[in-house]
Amino acid sequence: MNGNDVLFEIRDLKKNFGALEVLRGISTDIRKGEVVVVIGPSGSGKSTFIRCLNLLEEPTSGQIIFEGTDCTDKSVKTHRHREKVGMVFQQFNLFNNLSVLENVTISLEKVKKLPAAQAKEKAMALLRRVGLEDKADAYPSQLSGGQKQRIAIVRAMALDPDVMLFDEPTSALDPEMVGEVLKVIQDLAREGVTMVVVTHEMGFARKVGTRILFMDEGVIAEEGTPEEIFEAPKNERTRDFLSKVINVI
């Protein structure tokens, strides 16, 4: 890999909420084709980190350089950045008053300016990929949590982003629905989609991640391949955390 493979360069990223330091100096690169999985205890800053990458949170200091542009520069248009950086949330964030098809086509028509027929064709193809073509005319209230999250993934993918961010995409799901959502993410990984995934699903992290970031108290305490992190962690805090979640590995 060379410098042209780097999508994100994150340099000494810090984020405070008042007197509370949530991110205390994060530095890492994210390269094309990587599946970077962020793990760690609750309150370690994982979700704040990923929200900063999408500019949903404004960094207190440091740099987030995306495709050569410093996103922390005030001149950067946030909506343009988010077209290239797809985001899937814990709570789906679907439009409840729109049908499944409309949830997907709205961004294609309003952002990509596609004609309605073309937007529908693309949306239906995406729904077919996740096995939900038959739900096109349904509304979110008629869907299971797993179906809602698959629709949320499709909606984010519709804009053909350069990277996908997932903020604990299965945490709001009943256990039996977790697998169907993780399978969609796994399929995207096989297709080479660049992803950053915050998750508590250690089995998924180990199987799908190309690199693991273990966060603790607002810093990256350790990073490495799944084998390095899960089989031979160097940091005592990493070992302690994994020993408590080993039953789901």
Side-chain angles (χ1 to χ4, degrees), residues 193-220:
V193 175
T194 308
M195 292 185 275
V196 185
V197 185
V198 173
T199 187
H200 290 293
E201 300 289 338
M202 295 299 119
F204 169 82
R206 189 172 194 167
K207 185 177 181 181
V208 180
T210 56
R211 185 157 53 97
I212 308 294
L213 304 183
F214 172 68
M215 285 185 62
D216 186 44
E217 296 184 349
V219 300
I220 297 173

Side-chain angles (χ1 to χ4, degrees), residues 224-237:
T225 65
E227 293 75 19
E228 289 167 340
I229 296 298
F230 288 105
E231 295 174 20
K234 297 182 177 70
N235 185 294
E236 183 179 344
R237 186 69 187 91

Side-chain angles (χ1 to χ4, degrees), residues 87-107:
M87 183 90 174
V88 177
F89 302 87
Q90 298 176 38
Q91 297 291 343
F92 327 127
N93 288 17
L94 298 177
F95 298 110
N96 290 321
N97 61 324
L98 299 181
S99 70
V100 164
L101 182 62
E102 290 167 337
N103 263 280
V104 182
T105 57
I106 187 170
S107 62

Side-chain angles (χ1 to χ4, degrees), residues 5 14 23 31 75 88 92 101 114 122 166 181 186 194 198:
D5 293 307
K14 296 181 180 178
L23 300 180
R31 296 176 178 274
S75 66
V88 177
F92 327 127
L101 182 62
L114 292 185
K122 179 167 185 176
F166 294 85
V181 172
Q186 195 169 341
T194 308
V198 173

Side-chain angles (χ1 to χ4, degrees), residues 127-145:
L127 291 173
R128 207 171 297 125
R129 276 176 62 179
V130 297
L132 290 173
E133 184 183 12
D134 62 328
K135 299 294 184 183
D137 296 325
Y139 284 81
S141 62
Q142 299 170 300
L143 304 178
S144 70

Side-chain angles (χ1 to χ4, degrees), residues 34-138:
E34 276 198 303
V35 180
V36 178
V37 181
V38 187
I39 64 172
S42 296
S44 58
K46 305 184 299 297
S47 289
T48 299
F49 169 57
I50 205 170
R51 287 171 67 85
C52 283
L53 297 185
N54 200 36
L55 300 181
L56 287 167
E57 297 290 354
E58 184 179 346
T60 301
S61 63
Q63 287 184 303
I64 300 172
I65 300 168
F66 178 70
E67 296 181 338
T69 299
D70 185 353
C71 301
T72 54
D73 190 300
K74 299 293 186 188
S75 66
V76 170
K77 295 190 183 328
T78 304
H79 67 283
R80 292 294 181 203
H81 176 70
R82 290 180 187 154
E83 287 176 30
K84 296 182 178 182
V85 183
M87 183 90 174
V88 177
F89 302 87
Q90 298 176 38
Q91 297 291 343
F92 327 127
N93 288 17
L94 298 177
F95 298 110
N96 290 321
N97 61 324
L98 299 181
S99 70
V100 164
L101 182 62
E102 290 167 337
N103 263 280
V104 182
T105 57
I106 187 170
S107 62
L108 292 171
E109 293 178 22
K110 294 191 178 301
V111 178
K112 290 291 189 181
K113 306 299 183 186
L114 292 185
Q118 195 176 337
K120 180 179 179 180
E121 183 181 352
K122 179 167 185 176
M124 291 302 289
L126 287 166
L127 291 173
R128 207 171 297 125
R129 276 176 62 179
V130 297
L132 290 173
E133 184 183 12
D134 62 328
K135 299 294 184 183
D137 296 325

